[in-house]
Amino acid sequence: MASHRVSFTYLSQEDLLEAGCFDLSMAIDVAEKTMVEFEDHRILFPEKIVQIFDPVAQDRINCLPATLLDDKICGAKWVSVFPRNPKRYDMQNLSAIFILSEIEKGFPVAVMEGTLASNMRVAAMGGIAAKYLARQDSQSIGFIGAGEQAKMHMLAMKVVCPSLKECRVAAKTAEEENQFIHELSPILPDINFISVNTVARDAMQDADIMVTATSAQAPLLKAEWMKPGAFYSHIGGWEDEYQVAQQCDKIVCDDWDTVTHRTQTLSRMYKQGLLSHSDIHADLHELVSGHKPGRESDQERIYFNAVGLAYVDIAIALAMFKRAESSAIGQQLNLQETMVFEHQDILDKIRL
Ligand SMILES: NC(=O)c1ccc[n+]([C@@H]2O[C@H](COP(=O)([O-])OP(=O)(O)OC[C@H]3O[C@@H](n4cnc5c(N)ncnc54)[C@H](O)[C@@H]3O)[C@@H](O)[C@H]2O)c1
C-alpha cells in the first residue's frame, strides 16, 4: 500500500540564516522575476484578509495568500503588526510565518519563519526601485527612521548602488540612530555612518537617496530638502509633506491601485483630490519588464511608494526554502503518518 505520510520542512530563522538565505541579491533577483510573472498573469493574487484588534494602535494580524503558477506553489503569509512592540517589549513590531503548499496534491511542503523574508521583500522592492530610478552615481543616503525596515533597506540600497559612501540617519532618539550604526557598520565597513542626533533635516538635506521608514504619522520629510536628481523611497505611512510628491518629476508605486485604498501620503493626496491616476508614471513591474522607462535624466526628482505585494514575499520564501533544502537544512515534520482510519490503534484513540 502506498505511504500516506504527509510531511513538510520546518525552517526557523536560524535555519534560514545557516542556509545563507539572508541574501538581498537573491531577494532582488527573485522579486524582479516574480514581478514579470505577475505582469504575464502567471500569479494568483487574491485580496488579503485583515483583522485589526486595536483601531487606534492598529494592532493587527493579516493573512496574505498568493500562487506562483510556474513554480506550482501556493503560499500564505500570516503576519502580525503590533506597532507598540518596540517601545513596550523591546521587540520588533512585525512577525510573520509562511506556509508553502504544492498544488499537485495540495499538501504543505514548508512552514517557515517569515519575518526575515518579509523584511527582505520590503527592502528588495526599494532596492529594485533605486536600481531603475536612483542616479547610478549616488553617493549619499539619508534615513528618517532607524528601525527594522530602515536597516534592511540600507543593505538592499548598497547592493544596487555600490557607489554609496555616506549614510546619515535620523530617528526619534539618538540611541536608535547609534544602534542602527552599531548593527550596520560591521556589515558595511566602507560606509561612513553619521548619526544626526534626531535632526531629520541633517539626515536628508541634499542626499542622493532619501528613505523614510518610520512609525510616525506626520509630514517629517520636507520638500525643500530634496535636491534635483534625488530618489526618495517612502516605506511607512504618512511621513512626508505633500509638496515632496508634488515637486517630483516621476511617481512610481509597487501597485498604485492598492495605494489608493491605503493611508500613505500618496493615498491621502489621492483621497483629497490632490493626485490622480495620470500623475503616476508606472507600477514598478512596468520598469522591470521594460514597458516604461526608469530615470531619464540626472535632474529628475523621483518618488517611490511601496505598500507591499505578498506574492513577492511568497516567491522569496520559496527561494529560501529551496536554498535550505539544497543544503539539507531544516527539520522534517510529519503532518500525518497515515490517513486517519488507517491507524492500527484507531479504536483506542477515537471518542464517540
Ligand atoms: N511598505 C511596506 O511594504 C512596509 C512593510 C513593512 C513595514 N512597513 C512600515 O514601515 C514603517 C517602519 O517599520 P519598522 O518595522 O522599521 O518600525 P520600527 O518600529 O522598527 O522603527 C520605526 C522608526 O521610526 C522612527 N520614528 C518614529 N517617529 C519618528 C519621528 N517623529 N521622527 C523620526 N523618527 C521617528 C523611530 O525612531 C524608529 O526608528 C512602519 O510604518 C511600517 O508599518 C511598510
Side-chain angles (χ1 to χ4, degrees):
M1 193 173 62
S3 166
H4 290 155
R5 174 179 294 139
V6 177
S7 61
F8 61 86
T9 303
Y10 171 72
L11 292 161
S12 67
Q13 186 173 105
E14 288 66 30
D15 293 331
L16 296 170
L17 293 174
E18 183 66 28
C21 294
F22 190 3
D23 179 343
L24 282 153
S25 299
M26 172 185 81
I28 287 168
D29 290 347
V30 168
E32 289 205 67
K33 173 181 151 290
T34 313
M35 278 190 273
V36 173
E37 289 173 9
F38 174 76
E39 205 174 86
D40 290 345
H41 307 287
R42 279 140 51 204
I43 306 277
L44 303 181
F45 189 36
E47 281 295 303
K48 68 176 176 180
I49 297 167
V50 178
Q51 298 179 79
I52 298 175
F53 315 115
D54 184 319
V56 178
Q58 289 287 302
D59 293 345
R60 58 197 186 273
I61 297 184
N62 297 344
C63 179
L64 300 95
T67 298
L68 314 172
L69 293 171
D70 291 358
D71 294 296
K72 299 185 170 55
I73 288 288
C74 174
K77 178 169 83 159
W78 181 258
V79 56
S80 308
V81 183
F82 283 65
R84 292 170 295 184
N85 279 359
K87 210 167 177 183
R88 276 182 162 179
Y89 306 112
D90 192 23
M91 291 285 287
Q92 79 240 24
N93 66 48
L94 184 149
S95 63
I97 188 164
F98 285 92
I99 300 179
L100 303 179
S101 295
E102 43 81 10
I103 57 171
E104 190 186 330
K105 299 193 198 89
F107 292 141
V109 293
V111 173
M112 49 199 288
E113 192 281 328
T115 312
L116 180 63
S118 193
N119 289 346
M120 281 170 59
R121 183 267 306 160
V122 185
M125 297 298 276
I128 293 165
K131 178 174 157 185
Y132 291 91
L133 299 170
R135 283 179 57 138
Q136 290 303 302
D137 58 353
S138 295
Q139 301 217 336
S140 57
I141 182 166
F143 282 86
I144 307 180
E148 296 304 297
Q149 303 303 336
K151 289 174 208 162
M152 202 62 92
H153 235 69
M154 181 60 212
L155 300 179
M157 289 298 180
K158 184 65 178 155
V159 170
V160 295
C161 293
S163 56
L164 282 173
K165 289 188 169 51
E166 182 184 275
C167 171
R168 292 177 258 143
V169 58
K172 221 170 175 178
T173 65
E175 288 73 39
E176 278 180 283
E177 295 170 5
N178 291 331
Q179 184 69 17
F180 176 100
I181 295 171
H182 174 73
E183 291 177 9
L184 291 190
S185 51
I187 305 172
L188 301 173
D190 57 335
I191 296 281
N192 177 26
F193 285 98
I194 299 168
S195 154
V196 298
N197 202 14
T198 77
V199 182
R201 181 182 210 270
D202 290 352
M204 305 308 261
Q205 178 111 49
D206 293 340
D208 296 318
I209 298 180
M210 314 164 87
V211 179
T212 53
T214 75
S215 47
Q217 290 295 334
L220 302 174
L221 177 65
K222 307 281 179 229
E224 67 190 56
W225 302 341
M226 187 176 196
K227 67 178 179 183
F231 165 71
Y232 169 42
S233 178
H234 172 114
I235 303 172
W238 178 28
E239 306 177 297
D240 49 320
E241 59 182 17
Y242 292 174
Q243 292 92 322
V244 176
Q246 279 163 342
Q247 75 176 355
C248 279
D249 300 285
K250 286 192 172 110
I251 299 175
V252 174
C253 298
D254 59 350
D255 186 86
W256 163 245
D257 190 47
T258 307
V259 172
T260 62
H261 298 104
R262 297 286 180 81
T263 53
Q264 273 89 356
T265 308
L266 295 186
S267 324
R268 286 166 179 263
M269 293 174 70
Y270 173 73
K271 285 168 191 163
Q272 291 171 29
L274 298 171
L275 198 69
S276 70
H277 297 284
S278 60
D279 295 315
I280 307 304
H281 171 66
D283 280 344
L284 188 57
H285 66 83
E286 297 174 288
L287 307 189
V288 176
S289 66
H291 288 130
K292 295 234 175 114
R295 173 173 288 276
E296 291 169 285
S297 96
D298 281 351
Q299 294 302 304
E300 283 179 305
R301 291 185 180 90
I302 306 187
Y303 189 119
F304 175 67
N305 182 201
V307 283
L309 299 171
Y311 69 81
V312 179
D313 293 73
I314 304 290
I316 292 173
L318 176 61
M320 289 175 152
F321 165 52
K322 284 182 180 165
R323 187 171 280 190
E325 198 179 34
S326 69
S327 311
I329 289 175
Q331 277 182 67
Q332 209 57 28
L333 299 179
N334 282 345
L335 195 64
Q336 65 176 40
E337 286 286 355
T338 187
M339 294 197 293
V340 92
F341 289 105
E342 291 172 354
H343 287 97
Q344 296 295 319
D345 55 355
I346 192 69
L347 281 179
D348 302 331
K349 301 279 164 70
I350 194 166
R351 310 257 166 106
L352 291 175

